Amino acid sequence: MALLATKAAEVEALAAERDALARRILKLEEELALARLHRFAPRSEKHMDRVFNEAEQAALEDDADEDHDDIDEPGAADLPDTGLPEAKKPEGKKRGRKALPAGLPRQRVEYDLAHDQKVCPCCSERLHRMGEVVTEQLHIEVKATVLQNARAKYACRNCDRTGVATPIVLAPMPAQPLPGSIATASTLAFALVHKYVDGTPLYRLAQTFERAGVPVSRGALGHWVIGSSERHLYRIYDALKLRLRSQDVIHGDETTVQVLKEEGKAPTSTSYMWAYRSSEDSKQPIVLFDYQPGRGQEHPQAFLGDYRGILMSDGYTAWRTLKGATHLGCMAHARRRFADALKARKKQGGPPAQALKFFDQLYRIERQARDEIPDEGEAQASYMRRFRQKHSVPVLDALKAWLDAIAPKVMPETKLGDAVSYTLNQWEYLTRYVEDGRMPIDNNLLERDIRVFATGRKSWLFCDTVDGARASAVTYSLMLTCRACGVEPLAWLRHVLTELPQRPHDADIDDLLPFNFERPA
């Protein structure tokens, strides 16, 4: 009997080891599939929608062909019918080349026949002009010029003859952004836009200047960038920071950055750009980056202070330490986890595809709510809340019941198990948006702004110094705020870098903020 008991225990141990290895293999297969997709497949979520639709079709296929990466997969759940009207089909885009903007200056170039060619080829009579054919081409010239500042110089002849010293009076000129530098406000704006809007590293920008016949070293360009930020642009940044804290809704997120020369840290260590943004409906759109050496909770606490409004973030706990704020969770993060679970499967369909049906319906409700016009006298926020209570709440209730039903049946180590547990753990924050029409459903608005920084980071790779990282945070903030306000960044920077040196540090600069900017004629 003892031998049988020992054998049974060994068999049981081997079976447990086999199951553990099977789960380990499944997890590694999922990670390998996602890594391949991450490297080779399109990453746009617009492309993912087509995958989701195919997955929904695959989910209807015979369950006998399903792989066995989930245990006792539940059947499909029906979406609740809330009376949501059919979405209007978007109008198709007109084909063909768009006309050049009417606001661009026109330069007329005329072409005429030579005098001896104005003869009819049939009867040799003189031709008469019946009209003209006008076509338009886009013509761009980039020229470097030298601005000579000729300051009149005066002296007194009487003092020269009779006095001990002769006073010399020099005509004043406006204060320059960087005294002693060869760069004008326009040149600084050109360099900043190329680096922070177009993502051009400084060494490539130096090559651009050299091709134009103006050798400017990379070090000089670095001084232009840091000097513009530390002398002038930080004043705009600080003014925007005060206004951001007073807004009802703030989006928060963070992304990585590498700084080579930072005291107490290795060059290969990771630092962070903390990002903050006003809501999509804000009358004063603001996007701010804040460079910090770490990812601790003290950084958002110091930046936002005792903020009492609505804070949208992902599930990172550092954001939730702001006690006075009303916290929201990002629905797109939950949706993305189920999308990863779907892509990691050997065959499309199953619970991940079912979950994505719920998420797609929630986003369809959001799109239609924004397209509808509120009743007369009803505020947009009040209408959004009413629309969500009618259509989104039943879908969320059905999603919650479905998640509770499948949670005990999925393996926690799989991508599906991770998606289910994340969504249930964050449920309170994910669903809070239906309580207030001002609240966003996700953090995608800020993630689109961070994407500009991440794209540039692929080109310039790292910041050399902490001062450079802070200057980058200030300038990226202003460029993205310009984009949010629909302001042309080159014109705004040229105007601001011309005006700020003339104004004392305690002067009012409200008219220079991007959302108040009116382009000079």
Side-chain angles (χ1 to χ4, degrees), residues 321 455 469:
T321 61
T455 302

Side-chain angles (χ1 to χ4, degrees), residues 189-365:
F190 175 84
L192 291 171
V193 166
H194 267 271
K195 177 170 173 59
Y196 295 105
V197 177
D198 301 329
T200 306
L202 291 183
Y203 81 90
R204 291 186 196 165
L205 190 55
Q207 294 171 354
T208 302
F209 277 98
E210 189 172 359
R211 286 195 301 270
V214 186
V216 179
S217 69
R218 180 181 175 185
L221 290 171
H223 286 303
W224 291 2
V225 170
I226 296 175
S228 300
S229 172
E230 291 182 345
R231 282 178 171 268
H232 307 295
L233 298 181
Y234 81 92
R235 297 169 63 184
I236 304 289
Y237 180 91
D238 289 344
L240 293 174
K241 184 176 178 180
L242 290 175
R243 283 160 179 76
L244 180 66
R245 288 176 175 175
S246 65
Q247 301 221 7
D248 293 336
V249 179
I250 293 179
H251 295 254
D253 204 349
E254 72 284 339
T255 188
T256 59
V257 65
Q258 184 181 355
V259 179
L260 298 184
K261 300 172 184 176
E262 187 166 12
E263 186 177 356
K265 296 188 68 176
T268 55
S269 61
T270 300
S271 299
Y272 289 87
M273 284 286 186
W274 293 76
Y276 307 84
R277 197 202 196 281
S278 57
S279 69
E280 188 173 11
D281 300 325
S282 174
K283 294 181 180 179
Q284 296 183 347
I286 299 172
V287 184
L288 296 181
F289 281 17
D290 179 38
Y291 169 75
Q292 295 295 342
R295 204 184 178 204
Q297 64 187 34
E298 65 274 12
H299 303 307
Q301 290 173 358
F303 191 93
L304 295 177
D306 58 348
Y307 180 66
R308 303 286 177 179
I310 300 166
L311 181 59
M312 162 60 75
S313 64
D314 55 21
Y316 182 44
T317 55
W319 294 102
R320 305 279 163 81
T321 61
L322 279 84
K323 301 301 183 183
T326 301
H327 294 279
L328 302 179
C330 177
M331 191 69 74
H333 275 70
R335 181 181 186 271
R336 223 165 275 154
R337 278 173 159 79
F338 283 100
D340 287 344
L342 178 62
K343 290 186 289 185
R345 290 171 64 94
K346 295 178 182 177
K347 186 170 182 179
Q348 300 299 305
Q354 175 61 52
L356 291 171
K357 289 183 181 180
F358 286 105
F359 287 106
D360 290 346
Q361 182 72 351
L362 291 172
Y363 276 94
R364 178 189 166 193
I365 293 168

Side-chain angles (χ1 to χ4, degrees), residues 14 47 67 91 168 233 296 372 383 437 444 455 505:
L14 289 172
H47 289 86
D67 55 359
E91 297 181 1
I168 297 175
L233 298 181
E372 297 291 333
Y383 169 76
N444 283 350
T455 302
H505 283 273

Side-chain angles (χ1 to χ4, degrees), residues 225-521:
V225 170
I226 296 175
S228 300
S229 172
E230 291 182 345
R231 282 178 171 268
H232 307 295
L233 298 181
Y234 81 92
R235 297 169 63 184
I236 304 289
Y237 180 91
D238 289 344
L240 293 174
K241 184 176 178 180
L242 290 175
R243 283 160 179 76
L244 180 66
R245 288 176 175 175
S246 65
Q247 301 221 7
D248 293 336
V249 179
I250 293 179
H251 295 254
D253 204 349
E254 72 284 339
T255 188
T256 59
V257 65
Q258 184 181 355
V259 179
L260 298 184
K261 300 172 184 176
E262 187 166 12
E263 186 177 356
K265 296 188 68 176
T268 55
S269 61
T270 300
S271 299
Y272 289 87
M273 284 286 186
W274 293 76
Y276 307 84
R277 197 202 196 281
S278 57
S279 69
E280 188 173 11
D281 300 325
S282 174
K283 294 181 180 179
Q284 296 183 347
I286 299 172
V287 184
L288 296 181
F289 281 17
D290 179 38
Y291 169 75
Q292 295 295 342
R295 204 184 178 204
Q297 64 187 34
E298 65 274 12
H299 303 307
Q301 290 173 358
F303 191 93
L304 295 177
D306 58 348
Y307 180 66
R308 303 286 177 179
I310 300 166
L311 181 59
M312 162 60 75
S313 64
D314 55 21
Y316 182 44
T317 55
W319 294 102
R320 305 279 163 81
T321 61
L322 279 84
K323 301 301 183 183
T326 301
H327 294 279
L328 302 179
C330 177
M331 191 69 74
H333 275 70
R335 181 181 186 271
R336 223 165 275 154
R337 278 173 159 79
F338 283 100
D340 287 344
L342 178 62
K343 290 186 289 185
R345 290 171 64 94
K346 295 178 182 177
K347 186 170 182 179
Q348 300 299 305
Q354 175 61 52
L356 291 171
K357 289 183 181 180
F358 286 105
F359 287 106
D360 290 346
Q361 182 72 351
L362 291 172
Y363 276 94
R364 178 189 166 193
I365 293 168
E366 290 298 301
R367 288 192 296 270
Q368 291 195 224
R370 289 197 170 274
D371 292 340
E372 297 291 333
I373 300 176
D375 296 336
E376 187 176 354
E378 185 178 20
Q380 179 68 25
S382 176
Y383 169 76
M384 285 287 291
R385 182 186 184 281
R386 180 166 57 84
F387 198 90
R388 287 168 169 174
Q389 289 291 320
K390 180 179 179 181
H391 299 292
S392 299
V393 170
V395 177
L396 289 169
D397 291 343
L399 174 59
K400 180 65 163 56
W402 181 79
L403 290 172
D404 288 337
I406 70 168
K409 303 177 182 179
V410 297
M411 289 187 289
E413 299 87 353
T414 61
K415 294 296 180 183
L416 177 60
D418 172 71
V420 171
S421 63
Y422 175 86
T423 305
L424 290 176
N425 291 337
Q426 296 290 321
W427 189 257
E428 176 187 357
Y429 303 106
L430 292 173
T431 60
R432 189 171 284 166
Y433 77 98
V434 298
E435 300 172 4
D436 191 330
R438 298 172 299 166
M439 295 180 175
I441 188 175
D442 58 35
N443 212 15
N444 283 350
L445 184 67
L446 180 56
E447 289 186 358
R448 286 194 292 269
D449 291 322
I450 291 178
R451 192 174 297 125
V452 175
F453 175 83
T455 302
R457 185 178 56 200
K458 292 179 180 179
S459 298
W460 45 258
L461 301 178
F462 50 79
C463 296
D464 188 47
T465 64
V466 173
D467 289 340
R470 289 172 179 162
S472 294
V474 169
T475 313
Y476 266 118
S477 300
L478 302 185
M479 296 298 93
L480 289 169
T481 299
C482 282
R483 189 178 80 157
C485 297
V487 171
E488 205 284 301
L490 182 63
W492 180 82
L493 267 177
R494 187 186 297 126
H495 178 67
V496 164
L497 290 173
T498 301
E499 284 292 320
L500 277 177
Q502 321 305 322
R503 302 192 186 186
H505 283 273
D506 57 351
D508 182 22
I509 58 172
D510 277 1
D511 60 305
L512 300 181
L513 302 183
F515 41 77
N516 295 330
F517 175 68
E518 293 184 7
R519 185 169 183 170

